[in-house]
Amino acid sequence: QVQLVESGGGLVQAGGSLRLSCASSRRTFGTYAMGWFRQAPGKEREFVAAIKWRDGSTTYADSRFTISRDNARNTVYLQMNSLKPEGTAVYYCAASSGGGSWASISQPEHFTSWGQGTQVTVSS
């Protein structure tokens, strides 16, 4: 498994922006996809965005967000714009080495490595 470390969370007002980062402990060779999920108190972990490492193709649950990668830095980013209070949650980065459809990649079970999470709080 690869170690993932998220950063960039914090407190932001509704309508504001944040950029989350997820650094991998090793080269991403062999990584098939990386994703971002979030979990609010009392709720299940939900899909936010994912990127296939080889070709950079992406999928989203919310068009206000943009996922991107930096191969040289072994890092994936999540740019979040026009944030809403319902976006308050712990955001997790995840990595997988197995292939699959976008439908499977949007499920937490697809991913084998997870970061510790970073808190995002959106005030109204």
Side-chain angles (χ1 to χ4, degrees), residues 9-21:
L11 175 64
V12 63
Q13 289 188 334
S17 298
L18 279 177
R19 189 177 80 153
L20 306 182
S21 299

Side-chain angles (χ1 to χ4, degrees), residues 1-4 23-31 93-97 108-115:
Q1 288 189 352
V2 62
Q3 288 186 327
L4 304 172
S24 172
S25 63
R26 64 168 172 81
R27 292 181 60 186
T28 50
F29 178 79
T31 297
C93 172
S96 76
S97 57
E109 294 76 19
H110 177 83
F111 293 88
T112 54
S113 298
W114 291 85

Side-chain angles (χ1 to χ4, degrees), residues 43-56:
K43 295 188 177 181
E44 293 186 352
R45 191 165 297 191
E46 65 176 2
F47 172 76
V48 175
I51 185 168
K52 292 183 180 179
W53 202 262
R54 179 171 296 180
D55 64 9

Side-chain angles (χ1 to χ4, degrees), residues 12-115:
V12 63
Q13 289 188 334
S17 298
L18 279 177
R19 189 177 80 153
L20 306 182
S21 299
C22 173
S24 172
S25 63
R26 64 168 172 81
R27 292 181 60 186
T28 50
F29 178 79
T31 297
Y32 178 77
M34 294 190 72
W36 286 97
F37 291 77
R38 66 187 181 189
Q39 188 165 19
K43 295 188 177 181
E44 293 186 352
R45 191 165 297 191
E46 65 176 2
F47 172 76
V48 175
I51 185 168
K52 292 183 180 179
W53 202 262
R54 179 171 296 180
D55 64 9
S57 57
T58 57
T59 188
Y60 299 93
D62 192 324
S63 60
R64 295 174 293 123
F65 297 169
T66 302
I67 189 171
S68 61
R69 74 195 193 296
D70 184 329
N71 290 0
R73 297 179 183 270
N74 301 324
T75 299
V76 65
Y77 303 97
L78 182 69
Q79 177 68 41
M80 304 187 293
N81 298 326
S82 302
L83 283 163
K84 302 176 182 179
E86 51 264 41
T88 295
V90 177
Y91 284 70
Y92 296 92
C93 172
S96 76
S97 57
S101 65
W102 284 122
S104 66
I105 291 172
S106 67
Q107 303 299 315
E109 294 76 19
H110 177 83
F111 293 88
T112 54
S113 298
W114 291 85

